[in-house]
Amino acid sequence: METISPHATLSSFVECYWSWEVTTASGELDPILPDAAPELIFHLRTPPSVLRPTGRWEQQQRAFLLGASQRAVRLSIQAPMAVFAIRFRPWGVSRFTDRSMADLIDREIAPGQVFSSFGAKLADRIRSARDNAERVSISDSTLQNALADQSEKDELIRRLHSVAAGGYVRGRDIAASLGTSERSFRRLWHDMVGIEQRKFVSLMRFHRALAMIDAGTELSMVAAECGYADQPHLARDVKSISGLPALSLRKRLGADVYQDLYTNRPSAPWTGD
């Protein structure tokens, strides 16, 4: 697993680029947990299969944007796999598209349907690149070019990034800092982030707890540090999001594949600026 920071001009919109390679068929993996950050995924080899809500396994597209997720994703790797991905901030995609992020939750959308001006072309260039260094260069230049046209969202996203990084600021406080009403802010959040604000805060808190659980921190301390009312509150939240009790989740975090997906791969909350 490799992660690379974007160019500084993109840091308000993009958290990082990451790549992941699996050299042998691994079969079904542990679930990929819900996450507030959209990711633009490029499969460079055979795409894995994903378990759909209908109960059917289907092969993923070679390139797609995975919107903010509220349900776990189950993958099965049947052949060697290589992935290059752009991980956006929770609101980052909204700067490059007119689509509401609420329409993309738990969906895989072809790049050209989200980023109409550059999506399909970017996918072709990423897949034909020689290595990750070239893929990063292509991604940086493509997204920077898209930023060349000024947008009324620019200042808003900059301020949103500043006040919401960490996920613990209340909606009315963010609204006040942005100089808008709570009602207007809720509409804005709906379009720019998509995932409901209370769920967003829950996921941010959960992923912070996940990192502490993986580090072996006592669960009582995890609960206190991450803003849970008590340890039972932590246990209920972990179980509702991951489907696993906290102690079982700790055991899973020791598995190599699980660590690839959650410990080494960037997680929310992002390691802020």
Side-chain angles (χ1 to χ4, degrees):
M1 185 72 60
E2 178 185 20
T3 62
I4 304 170
S5 297
H7 190 277
T9 58
L10 298 171
S11 62
S12 292
F13 317 101
V14 177
E15 180 182 346
C16 72
Y17 306 114
W18 61 268
S19 64
W20 182 39
E21 186 170 359
V22 179
T23 57
T24 59
S26 301
E28 187 174 343
L29 306 182
D30 285 317
I32 298 175
L33 302 179
D35 190 355
E39 294 186 317
L40 187 53
I41 306 290
F42 304 96
H43 286 297
L44 310 177
R45 294 181 183 171
T46 303
S49 295
V50 61
L51 183 63
R52 300 300 184 190
T54 60
R56 296 181 59 186
W57 287 93
E58 296 179 1
Q59 193 172 58
Q60 286 188 319
Q61 303 174 63
R62 287 196 169 275
F64 59 90
L65 178 85
L66 178 62
S69 57
Q70 298 186 121
R71 61 172 181 257
V73 176
R74 300 197 74 99
L75 295 181
S76 180
I77 300 175
Q78 302 301 322
M81 184 185 76
V83 177
F84 178 81
I86 303 174
R87 181 177 172 85
F88 290 90
R89 307 284 184 182
W91 46 77
V93 170
S94 67
R95 175 56 176 84
F96 303 98
T97 181
D98 292 329
R99 295 192 63 158
S100 170
M101 294 300 100
D103 295 337
L104 306 182
I105 294 175
D106 287 317
R107 294 181 63 191
E108 298 174 7
I109 310 293
Q113 295 179 12
V114 181
F115 310 102
S116 56
S117 62
F118 63 80
K121 186 175 181 180
L122 175 60
D124 290 340
R125 294 184 66 197
I126 289 294
R127 284 197 294 266
S128 63
R130 295 185 303 272
D131 52 31
N132 282 339
E134 185 174 355
R135 293 181 188 103
V136 167
S137 177
I138 290 169
S139 301
D140 269 349
S141 61
T142 298
L143 295 175
Q144 285 176 299
N145 287 339
L147 288 179
D149 295 330
Q150 296 298 307
S151 169
E152 60 184 13
K153 296 179 181 178
D154 287 340
E155 178 62 15
L156 184 59
I157 288 176
R158 186 190 68 78
R159 296 176 67 187
L160 188 61
H161 180 204
S162 174
V163 298
Y168 302 103
V169 180
R170 291 175 297 182
R172 62 175 175 268
D173 295 332
I174 300 178
S177 73
L178 296 174
T180 187
S181 68
E182 285 188 65
R183 183 176 181 180
S184 295
F185 172 71
R186 284 195 295 269
R187 289 198 299 268
L188 177 71
W189 185 272
H190 178 272
D191 287 336
M192 295 184 68
V193 178
I195 196 167
E196 194 267 335
Q197 190 188 349
R198 183 174 295 179
K199 183 68 172 180
F200 170 83
V201 172
S202 177
L203 287 176
M204 296 288 287
R205 182 170 55 194
F206 166 75
H207 279 279
R208 184 182 179 200
L210 190 70
M212 295 181 69
I213 290 171
D214 179 58
T217 306
E218 291 293 329
L219 295 181
S220 58
M221 184 173 294
V222 173
E225 288 291 323
C226 295
Y228 292 98
D230 49 30
Q231 190 170 328
H233 182 200
L234 164 68
R236 289 193 302 271
D237 211 45
V238 167
K239 182 69 179 294
S240 68
I241 293 174
S242 71
L244 294 169
L247 291 177
S248 296
L249 184 60
R250 173 174 283 162
K251 293 178 182 177
R252 293 284 187 94
L253 288 169
D256 291 341
V257 171
Y258 207 81
Q259 284 191 329
D260 279 345
L261 288 173
Y262 293 105
T263 307
N264 299 324
R265 175 173 174 259
S267 62
W270 48 88
T271 52
D273 304 306

